[in-house]
Amino acid sequence: QKEVEQNSGPLSVPEGAIASLNCTYSDRVSQSFFWYRQYSGKSPELIMSIYSNGDKEDGRFTAQLNKASQYVSLLIRDSQPSDSATYLCAVNPNSGYSTLTFGKGTMLLVSP
Amino acid sequence: EAGVVQSPRYKIIEKKQPVAFWCNPISGHNTLYWYRQNLGQGPELLIRYENEEAVDDSQLPKDRFSAERLKGVDSTLKIQPAELGDSAVYLCASSLVSGGDTEAFFGQGTRLTVV
């Protein structure tokens, strides 16, 4: 069974700090990886996608992928209280038509 | 551009009653997903459509759940009869698959409570 593992948290960081969210996956042939943000009572919102090893930066967000270690992470720089949410890691085993497998999510709390 | 639209937003029903959810995907998106999300869990796929064809329904409890996507656009998910354990948020997502990889976008979800 294909699994995506995340620490449920909560991960607590002070405002302005770097938040580091981690995710491991079991299916070695996985091709693409996504981070979704989900506020309480809301639906998941796509914030980052990454397809190749290395780093991908978008504003305050950096996604990091290491396929050899089957590990993907999300760094949030200059964390803000508005970043407080659950962050879901999602993995697609193949490009194109396959389906996302989600982790349970990590709750991030950013304190003012 | 409008996002994925779902209705209703909330539904409370008694067990053994039927219920239906509706989804209108982003215009032009050929792939439509129904996910179920239990409290404290990530979304779990129920069914995936490519245009009108259900290509992955392995996790759909077929004894009580059914879905359709007429004309490859809107979709309906039905539960009959509902059980207490069906209480969850039902999420619809859509994506455009065209060669390379694809990103899925979610609707606001339908929160179902079975009493």
Side-chain angles (χ1 to χ4, degrees):
Chain A
Q1 183 176 357
K2 301 170 184 175
E3 295 184 346
V4 178
E5 300 289 341
Q6 295 181 259
N7 187 320
S8 61
L11 173 65
S12 296
V13 300
E15 183 175 357
I18 296 175
S20 178
L21 303 162
N22 304 315
C23 172
T24 60
Y25 58 94
S26 63
D27 190 346
R28 183 170 292 276
V29 300
S30 296
Q31 295 294 320
S32 52
F33 308 85
F34 305 87
W35 284 99
Y36 285 80
R37 177 176 61 200
Q38 187 171 29
Y39 292 112
S40 180
K42 302 296 185 182
S43 62
E45 173 192 10
L46 180 66
I47 55 173
M48 288 286 287
S49 59
I50 186 166
Y51 307 115
S52 55
N53 281 328
D55 295 358
K56 178 182 178 182
E57 185 175 323
D58 184 0
R60 295 187 296 113
F61 298 97
T62 298
Q64 300 176 317
L65 175 61
N66 184 327
K67 290 186 178 181
S69 300
Q70 296 176 236
Y71 177 91
V72 58
S73 65
L74 179 69
L75 300 178
I76 306 175
R77 291 181 300 281
D78 188 24
S79 295
Q80 301 296 309
S82 59
D83 294 327
S84 297
T86 295
Y87 289 80
L88 297 163
C89 173
V91 174
N92 186 344
N94 295 295
S95 63
Y97 289 88
S98 291
T99 300
L100 297 178
T101 299
F102 284 84
K104 294 183 178 181
T106 298
M107 180 181 294
L108 173 65
L109 299 176
V110 181
S111 54
Chain B
E1 178 181 313
V4 178
V5 179
Q6 291 187 245
S7 68
R9 291 291 310 280
Y10 305 92
K11 190 74 175 179
I12 301 175
I13 62 171
E14 295 183 342
K15 62 181 180 182
K16 300 185 181 180
Q17 294 303 305
V19 64
F21 315 124
W22 175 81
C23 173
N24 178 245
I26 293 172
S27 178
H29 280 194
N30 54 355
T31 304
L32 184 147
Y33 314 77
W34 282 103
Y35 281 87
R36 177 170 60 188
Q37 186 174 25
N38 292 305
L39 190 63
Q41 304 294 316
E44 296 177 328
L45 180 74
L46 292 173
I47 189 168
R48 182 179 93 240
Y49 283 93
E50 303 296 346
N51 300 305
E52 295 181 355
E53 183 182 3
V55 296
D56 185 353
D57 63 355
S58 57
Q59 301 303 312
L60 189 72
K62 298 181 182 62
D63 57 336
R64 298 184 299 108
F65 286 65
S66 64
E68 62 181 5
R69 189 183 185 197
L70 300 177
K71 301 182 180 179
V73 181
D74 294 359
S75 178
T76 302
L77 178 69
K78 298 178 181 178
I79 309 175
Q80 182 171 11
E83 298 179 352
L84 295 176
D86 296 331
S87 294
V89 176
Y90 290 82
L91 295 163
C92 179
S94 71
S95 62
L96 175 62
V97 178
S98 58
D101 215 306
T102 182
E103 298 172 341
F105 299 91
F106 284 88
Q108 293 178 302
T110 297
R111 183 176 298 277
L112 174 67
T113 302
V114 182
V115 297

